[in-house]
């Protein structure tokens, strides 16, 4: 099938999907699967391969997302039910002042996002975002959108995250120099994105239910009297310092694994153990167990109640898990159909500057199949030979690789698992998510690329 036909099918599929979800109000899970089937058949994927391709997409996505989402939700629920989010918010607000809270939380999210995967960090911080918003009496989107934006920026552009590290390996860029050059560019990108987030009109947005909104759940209420007592005393029962430690524990554990992978010999006993201990799933599991013991003890909860609090988090994230998996199905159909390759080939044939081509190819792949990491790696692979033939210095090579990485930052929409995590946790409808999160990630991506291109022009 020619490039024009493939691109037409991709555009048509996205239009139909948006129509079903926004206008027809169809369940996003059902709508995505329906459009994925139609796209697979329209692009010529053999009938007998349609279901296997869909199953592969679901499995690949949920294999990396389900444990992280479930454990992250449990950790957040323990902290939230115990009043930890409000305690932390009150403490920081008293120390910094209400006017500085949004900037301070965003800056903290930037730092925490360097060693931690985007979805893990966002899920952990989501209840804290709502706690700060309640204390400051502002719309949670004012904090949640820039927090998500800066965390995604460092996720796609800075080592030790897998996308930029693997891309550097493909293009021959120096990982250390990539971190040195990429960090200040990401800081400036974060500042611009933060200012852009302040322009988002949140007054007209009605937030839907979110797992991060629920300070307590009916399943954990023993009696009305107990609930009232907990509401009165819970901030005193668990302090801000305890909350910070519980949040930092899995983050530090992930950092330990990351450092171990970078400095230890691959395959050594120490490296293998640290890699396992520092994995997202094990780090969050450790965090949940510690929170289960510490918070349960401080709050005086019975073992039964602790278990109920943990279990109460899972129903709220079930929709997120299913919709995220469906997004993986649609993304895999787009990949197997050849739509992403067709887009990349079309852009390469235009003979534009390599740094611009890298950004546009990565952006096109990001928009067409959803995954930022896949977009970055595919674009790096397609341009590896042109980059090598250009005779770039190491600095120029690093900047071209960064441009490719920033291409994977923007255009986060319905085929991106991160889109569903952010919108569901912030309580955004699909329509409002496209108007806010999708636009904001694109602002971050374009800003990062323009700053990278500017530096490239002077080296």
């Amino acid at each position: 099938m020619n490039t024009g036909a493939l691109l037409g099918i991709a555009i048509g599929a996205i239009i139909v999907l948006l129509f079903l979800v926004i206008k027809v109000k169809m369940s996003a899970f059902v709508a995505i699967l329906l459009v994925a089937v139609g796209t697979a058949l329209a692009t010529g994927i053999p009938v007998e391969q349609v279901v296997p391709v869909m199953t592969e997409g679901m499995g690949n996505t949920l294999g990396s997302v389900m444990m992280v989402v479930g454990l992250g939700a449990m950790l957040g629920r323990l902290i939230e039910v115990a009043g930890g989010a409000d305690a932390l918010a009150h403490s920081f607000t008293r120390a910094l002042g209400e006017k500085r809270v949004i900037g301070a939380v965003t800056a903290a999210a930037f730092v925490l996002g360097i060693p931690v995967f985007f979805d893990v960090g966002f899920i952990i911080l989501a209840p804290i975002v709502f706690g700060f918003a309640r204390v400051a009496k502002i719309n949670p989107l004012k904090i949640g959108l820039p927090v998500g934006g800066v965390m995604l920026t460092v996720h796609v552009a800075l080592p030790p995250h897998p996308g930029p590290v693997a891309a550097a390996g493909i293009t021959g860029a120096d990982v250390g120099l990539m971190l040195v050059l990429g960090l200040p560019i990401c800081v400036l990108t974060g500042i611009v994105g933060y200012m852009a987030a302040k322009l988002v009109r949140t007054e007209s947005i009605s937030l839907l239910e979110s797992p991060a909104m629920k300070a307590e759940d009916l399943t954990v209420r023993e009696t009305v009297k107990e609930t009232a007592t907990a509401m009165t005393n819970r901030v005193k029962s668990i302090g801000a310092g305890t909350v910070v430690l519980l949040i930092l524990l899995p983050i530090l554990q992930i950092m330990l694994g990351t450092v171990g992978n970078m400095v230890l010999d691959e395959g050594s006993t120490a490296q293998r153990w640290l890699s396992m201990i520092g994995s997202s799933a094990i780090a969050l599991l450790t965090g949940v167990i510690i929170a289960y013991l510490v918070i349960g003890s401080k709050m005086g909860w019975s073992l039964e109640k602790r278990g109920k609090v943990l279990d109460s988090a899972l129903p709220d994230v079930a929709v997120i898990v299913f919709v995220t998996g469906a997004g993986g199905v649609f993304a895999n159909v787009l990949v197997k159909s050849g739509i992403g390759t067709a887009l990349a080939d079309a852009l390469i044939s235009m003979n534009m500057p390599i740094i611009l081509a890298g950004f546009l190819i990565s952006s096109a792949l990001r928009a067409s199949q959803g995954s930022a990491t896949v977009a970055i790696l595919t674009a790096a692979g397609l341009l590896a030979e042109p980059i090598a033939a250009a005779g770039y210095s190491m600095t120029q090579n690093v900047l071209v690789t960064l441009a490719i990485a920033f291409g994977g930052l923007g255009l986060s929409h319905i085929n991106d698992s991160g889109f569903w995590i952010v919108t569901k946790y912030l309580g955004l409808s699909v329509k409002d998510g496209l108007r806010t999160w999708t636009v904001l990630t694109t602002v971050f991506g374009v800003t990062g690329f323009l700053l990278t291109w500017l530096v490239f022009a002077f080296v």
Side-chain angles (χ1 to χ4, degrees):
M1 188 174 293
N2 61 51
T3 299
L6 286 172
L7 297 183
I9 292 171
I11 293 171
I14 292 173
I15 291 173
V16 171
L17 183 53
L18 292 175
F19 175 78
L20 291 175
V21 174
I22 296 173
K23 294 297 184 181
V24 181
K25 307 298 182 183
M26 182 179 288
S27 161
F29 179 71
V30 175
I32 295 172
L33 293 181
L34 182 61
V35 171
V37 172
T39 304
L41 295 173
T43 54
I45 293 178
V47 175
E48 68 275 9
Q49 289 299 315
V50 171
V51 173
V53 167
M54 295 174 66
T55 303
E56 180 185 27
M58 178 72 76
N60 289 343
T61 302
L62 292 187
S64 61
V65 168
M66 183 174 286
M67 287 189 291
V68 168
V69 171
L71 290 170
M74 286 180 167
L75 178 58
R77 179 55 57 87
L78 283 167
I79 292 172
E80 181 65 10
V81 172
D86 286 343
L88 187 63
H90 279 288
S91 178
F92 270 68
T93 302
R94 285 194 300 268
L96 301 172
E98 291 188 7
K99 294 183 179 179
R100 298 186 181 92
V101 165
I102 301 176
V105 177
T106 303
F110 181 95
V111 175
L112 295 177
I114 293 175
V116 180
F117 280 12
F118 167 73
D119 49 1
V120 178
F122 190 83
I123 291 169
I124 291 176
L125 290 181
I128 308 302
V129 166
F130 278 87
F132 274 100
R134 280 193 298 269
V135 171
K137 295 181 174 60
I138 59 177
N139 191 307
L141 297 178
K142 291 291 186 182
I143 305 176
L145 288 174
V147 162
V150 297
M151 294 191 77
L152 186 57
T153 297
V154 297
H155 178 80
V156 303
L158 295 183
H161 289 286
V165 169
I170 294 171
T171 62
D174 182 85
V175 174
L177 185 58
M178 191 172 183
L179 182 60
V180 170
L181 294 176
L183 187 57
I185 292 175
C186 285
V187 169
L188 292 175
T189 299
I191 293 172
V192 173
Y194 168 76
M195 299 304 294
K198 295 177 68 173
L199 301 176
V200 176
R201 298 177 62 87
T202 59
E203 298 80 7
S204 60
I205 298 177
S206 298
L207 296 183
L208 308 175
E209 286 190 0
S210 159
M213 285 184 188
K214 300 183 177 180
E216 53 198 85
D217 193 274
L218 289 173
T219 60
V220 301
R221 296 180 183 175
E222 305 294 340
T223 64
V224 174
K225 181 178 179 180
E226 179 188 349
T227 301
T229 302
M231 290 292 289
T232 302
N233 299 326
R234 64 182 185 168
V235 173
K236 297 179 182 178
S237 298
I238 177 171
T242 302
V243 176
V244 171
L245 289 176
L246 292 174
I247 292 172
L248 288 180
L249 177 61
I251 292 172
L252 292 174
Q253 195 168 325
I254 292 171
M255 288 180 64
L256 181 64
T258 300
V259 172
N261 286 331
M262 294 178 66
V263 303
L264 298 175
D265 293 334
E266 185 175 358
S268 65
T269 301
Q271 185 271 331
R272 290 188 290 112
W273 273 98
L274 285 178
S275 180
M276 188 273 288
I277 293 171
S279 65
S280 299
I282 298 299
L284 282 171
L285 180 60
T286 303
V288 168
I289 297 300
I290 298 298
Y292 173 88
L293 297 173
V294 172
I295 292 177
S297 176
K298 285 181 174 291
M299 297 295 291
W301 290 343
S302 66
L303 295 178
E304 181 183 4
K305 183 168 183 176
R306 298 183 203 192
K308 286 182 177 179
V309 173
L310 290 178
D311 287 340
S312 71
L314 296 181
D316 292 329
V317 298
V319 172
I320 297 174
V321 170
F322 276 103
V323 174
T324 299
V329 171
F330 187 40
N332 200 47
V333 167
L334 293 174
V335 170
K336 297 296 184 181
S337 67
I339 289 174
T341 303
L343 277 171
D345 290 343
L347 289 171
I348 289 176
S349 66
M350 295 179 183
N351 296 317
M352 62 183 66
I354 292 177
I355 190 169
L356 177 59
F359 172 74
L360 291 178
I361 291 171
S362 183
S363 297
L365 291 167
R366 163 73 153 154
S368 65
Q369 54 77 44
S371 169
T373 301
V374 170
I376 293 167
L377 298 187
T378 304
L382 290 169
L383 291 177
E385 290 188 13
I387 290 173
Y392 287 142
S393 66
M394 182 53 70
T395 300
Q396 290 174 316
N397 193 339
V398 165
L399 291 170
V400 171
T401 307
L402 278 172
I404 293 172
F406 282 118
L409 174 55
L411 299 172
S412 170
H413 65 99
I414 50 181
N415 61 357
D416 173 26
S417 62
F419 173 85
W420 296 106
I421 289 175
V422 170
T423 55
K424 294 298 182 183
Y425 264 90
L426 291 183
L428 287 167
S429 67
V430 173
K431 181 179 180 180
D432 288 331
L434 292 170
R435 294 192 307 177
T436 56
W437 175 248
T438 302
V439 172
L440 188 62
T441 58
T442 305
V443 170
F444 273 93
V446 171
T447 300
F449 166 67
L450 291 177
L451 290 171
T452 302
W453 202 358
L454 180 64
V455 175
F456 185 85
F458 287 96
V459 298

